[in-house]
Structure formats: structure tokens, C-alpha cells
């Protein structure tokens, strides 16, 4: 840095911002250092899909938040890993390529280049040495390797399955890609189709995925969504025998206490007994017709509560209620799902909403067996005193449950809503599944040494219903690894959620061509300390990433079993009219325009000032002008003549407030307290000297890094402001300070010490902390790092 700089009247952001961006890059200020003795902090953004539209102001919101946090942590002595990459495979890129007639490889390159430039222009402190791209062979080689590891452990398998099929996109859709029975992407009515598909056995981990949520620092709403998705349900299986037959129907119920009120049974239309009992069903033609209609519908259509239920009775057969010994009719109805429980239910219309509605519609008997509040036209779904239940009448329904289970010979059973993860896609733009089919040897995994199985380029990638790869000659020209006869490659590719289920591990060691990541780096950097992204990933991405982490933990590739210790969501940025920004509405704000007109620092500060990070917020053009003016005031403040007004308490209060607010991601209130300080200083109510200017530059630095660096330089500092330690607020009331105690990079306790306590004293107090002691007892302390007033870190 050059010396003797002076302030320009006008702050020229279009010159100053690129200057500092280059400076940071050249001086490696954003780079994470492997095998470093500082405590680590891994701060991760959900990586974007590099669409042709470029960066969105919504990206800018969350990326600014993590950038502030990363810069703040570096200024607190942490070795920060803050990487960026591209979730580049997937349908949109492929659809775009089909439309434009260009290969997805090309459009992806073009788009990532644009995204990268945009992100750099905003001054985000990413370590670009670690950039990854899921569609590059160097990356998907390891996605394929992951597939093989799961396959070898029996966690990847193939089966026929009814799949959601989009007739227009000609592809299988995941459950979540079907919205209201329609394809999420093109709006076409989705149909059901049977295909042989690859699955990952995520259901093996259902209980762990559920139980381990408890220890995570995540929004409760996200935890609840995951819990629901896993859907653990404790119930009972009970056999209802079919009159004059050797068959019986096994139902799953969570309410065995209501069995005396079960007045009919309902099977899923796909239930195997329907065809087995075909000859005895007198209305079989009508039944067959109903079944073929039902199988066209998706699960969501079938179970939505507000749809009127339909069904048909299986005439000619009856079941026997094991509690009353009464004969009851058997129906099929599409609201009973084949994939849940046993695919059969006992219907208790007096106490279940769906059964009630169904019984009303088809005039079935409704028998109350629990006394409770009687609302007209609604079933009583609570518990209470049993009635009409023979010897159990008069007992509390909850208490009678176990005895009733024994009485009807029921078997306790736990069911989950979670299904195995369907990972095959009949599309081009994804990682090829590394499997070979040999006529003699069957299914053979591609040898690891042959990875990556590269996507061929001699492909007509327009969709036709089979995978585009089936038509590539070069791709299929393969010998069986076992017997060397002509064999054929699997032509399906993997769901893009597989790519993103492990990408955070690759950032740790992105250029390794021997392993997906080396273990000591994984040990140092993982798990992720702060993960920020949209709540639309509440279930799929986050659940899949947790599953892969747990599977790799079982295989001993990882020592931890949860990837994201702390998770936060940003809210949507809406258009000025409060609607969602969308191209069709013409209300999209382009960040490039804002940077050009106002500056990157303005955009950063503005988006953080709009409101609490997790709230949805409408864009406000007047607000940007206000922020621009605030930056102008800071520039003026830095050039103020020093004044000796006695009060510098406001600065200490501001430092304290900004520090606390950054820690809790309360960026909007941090900014408002800095505004208060600047207004006060400019009106000469506050003591201003070079020292206060420096301190203010430091606390605004994570938010407006370019202007802060410029001021810092002009004030005569030789090194980057980001190499300076974060200021400690010193007010008279702050005679003590809290110090985090870490052991091997993990915080194990917090101690409170006097502000002037020296290192050896702090070490003594830290070692005396009960919890800390648990982790260092009987161990040799190899290293002690002390960041005064902040952290004491032991390496054992
Ligand atoms: C009788 C009953 C009486 C029920 C009552 C409820 C209330 P969760 O908690 O979600 O597990 N069920 C079972 N299998 C089903 C399937 N394949 N498709 C649709 N519904 C199914 O819900 C369990 C309840 O959902 C079960 O308990 C069953 O209805 C229904 F007053 O059995 B119940
Ligand atoms: Zn073979």
C-alpha cells in the first residue's frame, strides 16, 4: 500500500471497489489456510444453480450475510473457510440447451463465468481456489465414487417402482417435483409409470435422522418439516380374516382402541388381495376400472384432505371384525396408499375425519365407541371413555389400548412416511450412474479406476422417454470388467440432489485426485459452523446431505455424523409491489444495475438494512438512496476535523452493539446503531479523533469492505483492515469479558475474566472450567493459542 494518501471529495466507487477486490485477491486475504494452528470457522452458502439469468438480489442477500460473518470471524482471529461453487447439473440447463440448440456444457461455462464476475464485483470474500462445479468430470468422478460406496454397502439398489412421469419432459419426477399433480417445471399433468430405478436406502437411517435433529442449532420450523417428512408413527398391525377364505387382511392403525367401531375395511387399489380374490368379487369389471383410474393419480392428489373421497365396494366378500366378530364390507379407495403401513385400513367413521366423510358419502354405518364432545357433522377424534366396546366399555381409551391389542391379537408396529430416495433420471445432464450390465455376469459396478464415467458428447440429448445416453455409441462401447465380453452401461444419470448431498466435503480438499477429500482436512474443517440458505431446502437437500454424512460416518470416511451444526434461512426479497420477483411480471431487480448506479457497498448495506435476515422483505428504491447517503456521511466523517468533545462512550456502545448483532445475524440493527453513531459524530456531539475513525472503519468493514479499506488506508495504516483484530468495546461497565474456550477447534466452555488478565492467568481459569476439563484431562496440551479478550484455544 502506498503512503500519504488523501481523501477525495467524491468517493469514486467504480474505481475504488475493483481496486480492493484485486488487492484482496492478490494478497490472498480470502483464502483459507489448511493445517493452520488458528481455530477454524467453516461458513457456507448454499451454492447456486448457475442459470442464464445471472445473479438474483436474493442470492446477494444471503451471500452478503455470510460474507459479513466470514469477515467478522477472520477479524476475530479465525481461519475461515468460505467457498463457492456451482450446482450445475440438472433439468433447467438441459431444457435451456434443448431450446437454444447448444450443449449444456457450453451454457454452463458461460453462466458460471457471469456468476463468478458478478459475485466478485460485490466484494464477497470467497476463496476462489476452492471453486467446484458439479458438472465437471473432476467433481462427478467422486459423485460416482459415492454411488459405488453406497452400492458396495447395499445402500444403493435397483427395483421396479411406480414413478411420477412427466409426459412432456419425458422424465421421472421426484415426489417434490410434483405440485398439485402437475410437473413443477412445465405444468403438465403427471402420470404414473412402472420403471426399473435406482434407489438409495435412506430409510435405514430414519431413526437417526429423526433423533439427531435434537442437537442441531437449526430453526425449529425446519426441524419440524424434517420430522414430518420422516413421519415416524407408532401403531399396531391387526389381522381381519376374510369370511370363507384362507386369506386375511392386515391393517395398520394408530387407534386400536377404536376397533369396536370399525364398520368396514378399505384397501389401497393396488393391494395384492384384490387380484387374488378376483374370482370371488362379483363386480370385478367395475373394480378394475376404478383401479386403473386411481393409478393415474399421484400420491398428493390421492391424499389431499379437501378432495372428495371416492371408492368402490368389493362385492361378494366380507371381513370379520376380530373385536365384535361382525361381518363387515371391504372397499377399495384411493385415499388409502399402497406405500404406507400395510396398504389397508380399518375404517372407524365415528372417530376419523376421512372415514367419516367416506361413510357419509357411501351411507356406511357409523358406530361411536368413544364418548366425547358431539359436534354435528364431524367425528370425535380425541380420546375419552370407551362405549359400545363390550367388556372395555367404561375404561379410558388410552388405558385400554394395550389390553385391546392383546384381545385382538395385534402386533405393535412402527411405520415411517420416509421412502427410499429415487436417484435415477432418464436425462442427459447429470452424473452417469457407474454401473455395467453384462449378459453373463449381471450387474457389475464400474471399477473405481475407470472413474469418471464421462458423459459422451455424441448425443442427441432431446428427450424421448428413454435416457439420451442409450443412443450414444461411444458411451455404450464397454467390456464387462469381470468376463470381458461385450456389455452395456447404465444409461440413467443421477438426481442432482446427489451432487449437492456431499459438495461441502469437496471444498475442504477440492483438487485432490486420489480421494474425495483427505481425512485430516475433513477433521480440521468439518462440520460446517454456519450454513445459510433458503428454507425451500428444508427437506430434500438438507435431509439427503445428512443421510450421506451418516452413511459415510458408518463407512468410517467421516468422524462426525451431522454436517451442519448451525443453520439459518434468509427470507425472500420481494418486488416493490410485494409480489415475488419474476421475469414474467417484469419486476426483477438486477444487482449489476444497482452496483453500477450506487456501488457494491450500497447494495450490500441496503439488503442487510431492509429488515431481519429471515423475514420476507419488499424492495424499496428510496431505501437505497438513504443507504447511499449514509455511506456519503461515513466518507465525510472520516475527513472530519478531530474534536475533543468528552463523550466517546457512544462509540463503545456502538462497538458492543454491532459485535453482538453480528453474532446473532442481526445485521439490520447493527447498521442502525452505526447510523446513530455517524449522525451524532457529524453533529459534533461525540468525540472524534483518528482512533475513533479507525475503530468505526473496523466495525463497518464486514458490511462495506471497500470503503472501510479505503478509509483505513488513508488514515495511514499499512496493512489491510481485515488483518486487524476486531475492537473490544471498553466502557467502564465492562470490567470483565467473556472468553470462549476451545479444545481442538470446538468450543467447550465460556469463562469470564477481568479485562486485564494476562495469558497465564486465563489459561489457568480456562483449565479449571469443568466442561473444558473433561476434554483435556489426562491429555498433553500441545499448543495454546490466546486471542486476547476473545478465545483461548487448546490443541491436545
Ligand atoms: C383406524 C383409525 C381410527 C385410525 C381412528 C385413525 C383414527 P399416521 O399417524 O399418519 O401413521 N392409515 C393407515 N395406513 C394408511 C394408508 N396406507 N393410507 C391411508 N391411511 C392409512 O396415521 C395412521 C392412521 O392412518 C391409521 O390409524 C389409519 O387409520 C390410517 F379413529 O386406523 B387409523
Ligand atoms: Zn461379464
Amino acid at each position: 500500500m502506498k503512503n500519504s494518501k488523501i481523501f477525495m471529495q467524491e468517493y469514486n466507487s467504480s474505481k475504488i471497489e475493483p481496486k480492493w477486490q484485486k488487492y484482496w485477491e492478490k494478497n490472498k486475504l480470502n483464502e483459507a489456510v489448511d493445517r493452520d494452528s488458528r481455530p477454524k470457522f467453516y461458513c457456507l452458502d448454499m451454492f447456486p444453480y448457475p442459470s442464464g439469468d445471472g445473479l438474483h438480489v436474493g442470492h446477494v442477500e444471503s451471500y452478503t450475510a455470510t460474507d459479513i460473518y466470514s469477515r467478522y470471524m477472520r477479524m476475530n482471529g479465525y481461519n475461515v473457510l468460505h467457498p463457492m461453487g456451482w450446482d450445475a447439473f440438472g433439468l433447467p440447463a438441459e431444457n435451456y440447451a434443448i431450446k437454444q440448440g447448444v450443449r449444456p456444457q457450453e451454457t454452463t461455462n458461460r453462466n458460471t463465468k457471469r456468476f463468478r464476475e458478478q459475485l466478485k464485483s460485490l466484494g464477497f470474500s470467497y476463496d476462489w481456489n476452492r471453486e467446484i462445479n458439479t458438472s465437471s468430470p473432476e467433481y462427478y468422478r467422486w459423485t460416482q465414487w459415492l454411488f459405488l460406496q453406497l452400492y458396495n454397502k447395499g445402500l444403493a439398489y435397483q427395483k421396479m417402482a411406480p414413478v411420477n412421469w412427466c409426459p412432456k419432459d419425458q422424465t421421472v419426477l421426484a415426489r417434490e417435483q410434483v405440485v398439485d399433480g402437475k410437473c413443477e417445471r412445465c405444468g403438465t399433468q403427471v402420470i404414473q409409470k412402472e420403471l426399473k430405478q435406482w434407489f438409495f436406502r435412506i430409510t435405514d437411517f430414519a431413526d437417526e435422522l429423526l433423533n439427531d435433529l435434537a442437537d442441531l442449532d437449526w430453526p425449529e420450523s425446519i426441524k419440524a418439516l424434517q420430522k414430518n417428512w420422516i413421519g415416524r408413527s407408532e401403531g399396531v398391525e391387526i389381522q381381519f380374516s376374510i369370511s370363507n377364505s384362507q386369506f386375511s387382511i392386515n391393517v395398520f392403525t394408530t387407534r386400536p382402541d377404536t376397533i369396536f367401531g370399525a364398520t368396514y375395511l378399505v384397501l389401497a387399489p393396488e393391494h395384492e388381495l384384490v387380484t387374488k380374490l378376483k374370482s370371488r368379487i362379483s363386480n370385478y369389471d367395475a373394480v378394475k376400472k376404478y383401479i386403473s383410474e386411481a393409478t393415474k393419480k399421484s400420491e398428493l392428489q390421492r391424499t389431499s384432505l379437501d378432495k372428495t373421497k371416492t371408492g368402490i365396494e368389493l362385492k361378494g366378500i366380507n371381513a370379520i371384525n376380530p373385536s365384535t366378530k361382525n361381518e363387515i364390507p371391504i372397499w377399495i379407495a384411493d385415499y388409502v396408499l399402497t406405500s404406507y403401513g400395510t396398504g389397508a385400513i380399518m375404517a372407524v367413521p365415528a372417530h376419523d375425519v376421512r372415514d367419516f366423510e367416506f361413510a357419509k358419502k357411501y351411507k356406511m354405518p357409523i358406530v361411536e365407541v368413544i364418548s366425547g364432545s358431539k359436534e354435528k357433522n364431524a367425528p370425535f377424534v380425541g380420546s375419552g371413555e370407551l362405549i359400545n366396546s363390550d367388556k372395555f366399555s367404561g375404561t379410558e381409551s388410552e388405558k385400554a389400548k394395550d389390553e385391546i391389542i392383546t384381545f385382538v391379537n395385534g402386533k405393535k408396529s412402527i411405520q415411517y412416511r420416509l421412502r427410499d430416495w429415487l436417484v435415477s433420471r432418464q436425462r442427459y445432464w447429470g452424473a452417469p450412474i457407474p454401473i455395467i450390465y453384462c449378459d453373463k455376469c449381471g450387474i457389475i459396478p464400474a471399477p473405481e479406476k475407470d472413474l469418471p464415467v464421462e458423459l459422451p458428447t455424441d448425443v442427441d440429448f432431446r428427450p424421448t422417454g428413454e435416457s439420451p445416453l442409450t443412443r450414444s455409441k461411444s458411451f455404450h462401447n464397454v467390456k464387462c470388467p469381470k468376463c470381458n465380453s461385450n456389455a452395456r452401461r447404465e444409461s440413467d444419470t443421477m438426481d442432482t440432489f446427489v451432487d449437492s448431498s456431499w459438495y461441502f466435503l469437496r471444498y475442504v480438499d477440492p483438487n485432490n485426485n486420489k480421494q474425495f477429500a483427505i481425512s485430516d482436512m475433513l477433521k480440521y474443517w468439518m462440520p460446517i459452523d454456519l450454513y445459510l440458505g433458503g428454507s425451500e431446502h428444508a427437506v430434500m437437500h438438507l435431509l439427503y446431505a445428512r443421510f450421506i454424512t451418516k452413511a459415510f460416518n458408518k463407512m468410517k470416511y467421516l468422524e462426525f455424523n451431522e454436517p451442519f451444526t448451525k443453520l439459518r434461512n434468509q427470507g425472500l426479497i420481494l418486488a416493490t409491489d410485494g409480489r415475488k420477483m419474476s421475469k414474467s411480471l417484469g419486476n426483477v431487480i438486477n444487482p449489476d444495475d444497482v452496483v453500477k448506479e450506487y456501488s457494491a457497498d450500497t447494495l450490500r448495506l441496503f439488503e442487510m438494512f431492509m429488515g431481519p435476515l429471515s423475514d420476507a422483505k419488499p424492495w424499496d428504491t428510496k431505501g437505497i438512496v438513504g443507504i447511499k447517503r449514509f455511506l456519503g456521511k461515513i466518507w465525510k466523517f472520516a475527513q472530519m476535523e478531530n474534536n475533543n468533545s468528552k463523550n466517546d462512550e457512544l462509540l463503545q456502545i456502538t462497538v458492543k452493539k454491532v459485535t453482538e448483532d453480528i453474532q446473532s445475524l442481526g445485521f439490520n440493527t447493527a447498521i442502525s446503531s452505526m447510523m446513530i453513531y455517524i449522525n451524532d459524530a457529524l453533529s459534533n456531539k461525540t468525540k472524534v479523533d483518528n482512533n475513533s475513525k479507525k475503530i468505526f472503519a473496523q466495525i463497518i468493514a464486514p458490511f462495506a469492505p471497500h470503503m472501510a479499506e479505503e478509509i483505513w488506508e488513508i488514515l495511514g495504516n499499512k496493512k489491510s483492515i481485515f488483518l486487524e483484530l476486531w475492537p473490544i468495546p471498553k466502557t467502564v461497565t465492562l470490567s470483565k469479558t467473556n472468553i470462549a474456550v476451545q479444545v481442538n477447534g470446538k468450543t467447550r466452555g465460556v469463562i469470564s475474566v477481568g479485562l486485564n488478565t494476562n495469558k497465564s492467568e486465563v489459561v489457568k481459569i480456562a483449565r479449571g472450567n469443568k466442561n473444558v476439563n473433561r476434554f483435556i484431562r489426562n491429555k498433553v496440551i500441545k499448543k495454546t493459542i490466546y486471542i486476547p479478550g476473545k478465545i483461548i484455544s487448546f490443541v491436545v
Side-chain angles (χ1 to χ4, degrees), residues 20 135 177 236 346 355 379 401 450 558 589 705 733:
W20 288 112
S135 70
Q177 290 172 317
V236 186
M346 62 178 206
D355 300 344
K401 257 185 181 171
D450 293 350
L558 302 176
I589 305 270
T733 45

Side-chain angles (χ1 to χ4, degrees), residues 38-82:
R38 283 173 295 170
K40 68 94 187 184
F41 195 86
Y42 189 170
C43 184
L44 184 65
D45 287 306
M46 289 183 185
F47 64 164
Y49 158 69
S51 78
D53 301 333
L55 203 66
H56 185 273
V57 287
H59 293 122
V60 176
E61 181 191 20
S62 61
Y63 301 165
T64 303
T66 49
D67 194 60
I68 292 170
Y69 209 89
S70 298
R71 288 180 181 276
Y72 168 78
M73 292 308 278
R74 287 192 196 104
M75 292 171 89
N76 277 277
Y78 284 85
N79 183 19
V80 173
L81 173 55
H82 188 41

Side-chain angles (χ1 to χ4, degrees), residues 271-287:
H271 201 287
E272 50 165 28
L273 276 180
V274 182
T275 36
K276 278 192 183 147
L277 293 166
K278 187 171 162 178
S279 60
R280 288 187 49 193
I281 299 171
S282 58
N283 58 341
Y284 192 70
D285 283 344
V287 167

Side-chain angles (χ1 to χ4, degrees), residues 12 30 42 91 99 103 160 217 224 236 248 296 393 398 407 466 489 536 548 643 655 682 696 727 759:
N12 186 346
N30 303 332
Y42 189 170
L91 260 186
K99 246 203 219 142
R103 302 208 163 272
M160 286 298 277
D217 179 4
V236 186
S248 63
K296 281 191 198 135
S393 295
E398 277 305 315
F407 177 64
E466 51 179 10
R489 282 197 192 281
E536 68 274 17
I548 292 298
N643 82 62
V655 171
L682 287 180
F696 185 82
K759 181 176 171 182

Side-chain angles (χ1 to χ4, degrees), residues 180-304:
D180 286 334
K182 300 199 172 90
C183 172
E184 177 194 59
R185 310 212 181 274
C186 70
T188 308
Q189 188 76 31
V190 170
I191 61 168
Q192 304 290 304
K193 190 171 168 174
E194 285 268 335
L195 277 180
K196 207 164 198 185
Q197 303 277 299
W198 285 98
F199 287 83
F200 285 170
R201 216 180 286 281
I202 190 173
T203 52
D204 266 18
F205 293 80
D207 274 322
E208 278 173 72
L209 288 167
L210 189 65
N211 297 337
D212 294 349
L213 282 172
D215 298 330
L216 299 177
D217 179 4
W218 286 22
E220 283 307 315
S221 56
I222 304 282
K223 289 192 190 182
L225 284 167
Q226 294 225 340
K227 225 178 225 170
N228 257 327
W229 191 265
I230 298 165
R232 185 179 195 274
S233 176
E234 285 180 23
V236 186
E237 287 175 36
I238 301 171
Q239 301 281 346
F240 284 62
S241 50
I242 297 174
S243 317
N244 311 316
S245 143
Q246 87 267 31
F247 292 119
S248 63
I249 295 171
N250 191 26
V251 307
F252 173 72
T253 177
T254 47
R255 294 296 303 273
D257 49 316
T258 64
I259 193 165
F260 286 87
T263 50
Y264 57 97
L265 298 186
V266 189
L267 311 181
E270 300 88 346
H271 201 287
E272 50 165 28
L273 276 180
V274 182
T275 36
K276 278 192 183 147
L277 293 166
K278 187 171 162 178
S279 60
R280 288 187 49 193
I281 299 171
S282 58
N283 58 341
Y284 192 70
D285 283 344
V287 167
K288 221 170 103 184
K289 189 155 164 262
Y290 180 83
I291 294 171
S292 88
E293 286 298 312
T295 45
K296 281 191 198 135
K297 295 192 205 164
S298 74
E299 193 166 297
L300 207 99
Q301 282 173 301
R302 288 172 54 165
T303 50
S304 87

Side-chain angles (χ1 to χ4, degrees), residues 231-234 252-256 258 268 303 335-348 350-355 380-381 415 417:
R232 185 179 195 274
S233 176
E234 285 180 23
F252 173 72
T253 177
T254 47
R255 294 296 303 273
T258 64
T303 50
Y335 77 88
V336 175
L337 299 176
T338 179
S339 58
Y340 187 67
T342 58
I345 66 156
M346 62 178 206
V348 185
H351 304 291
D352 179 86
V353 178
R354 290 166 303 181
D355 300 344
F380 173 68
V381 298
Q415 299 292 331
R417 299 229 166 251

Side-chain angles (χ1 to χ4, degrees), residues 63-191:
Y63 301 165
T64 303
T66 49
D67 194 60
I68 292 170
Y69 209 89
S70 298
R71 288 180 181 276
Y72 168 78
M73 292 308 278
R74 287 192 196 104
M75 292 171 89
N76 277 277
Y78 284 85
N79 183 19
V80 173
L81 173 55
H82 188 41
M84 183 41 79
W86 319 110
D87 193 11
F89 269 144
L91 260 186
E94 187 169 335
N95 285 345
Y96 182 81
I98 291 164
K99 246 203 219 142
Q100 307 284 319
V102 270
R103 302 208 163 272
Q105 281 91 338
E106 260 171 60
T107 52
T108 300
N109 277 341
R110 205 187 300 156
N111 295 348
T112 52
K113 185 166 174 279
R114 166 132 189 255
F115 263 76
R116 196 184 303 110
E117 280 164 9
Q118 289 183 301
L119 292 173
K120 286 188 176 179
S121 79
L122 281 154
F124 295 141
S125 59
Y126 294 119
D127 181 349
W128 287 106
N129 293 333
R130 294 173 188 257
E131 177 181 342
I132 56 173
N133 179 336
T134 56
S135 70
S136 72
E138 299 79 54
Y139 182 90
Y140 68 68
R141 164 186 184 182
W142 298 108
T143 307
Q144 292 172 334
W145 176 86
L146 172 151
F147 182 98
L148 294 178
Q149 305 316 303
L150 296 181
Y151 179 80
N152 294 339
K153 289 280 180 302
L155 292 172
Y157 68 95
Q158 219 178 9
K159 72 172 177 195
M160 286 298 277
V163 292
N164 297 309
W165 178 263
C166 172
K168 175 145 184 282
D169 285 335
Q170 296 280 319
T171 187
V172 172
L173 299 172
R175 201 170 9 160
E176 58 283 1
Q177 290 172 317
V178 182
V179 178
D180 286 334
K182 300 199 172 90
C183 172
E184 177 194 59
R185 310 212 181 274
C186 70
T188 308
Q189 188 76 31
V190 170
I191 61 168

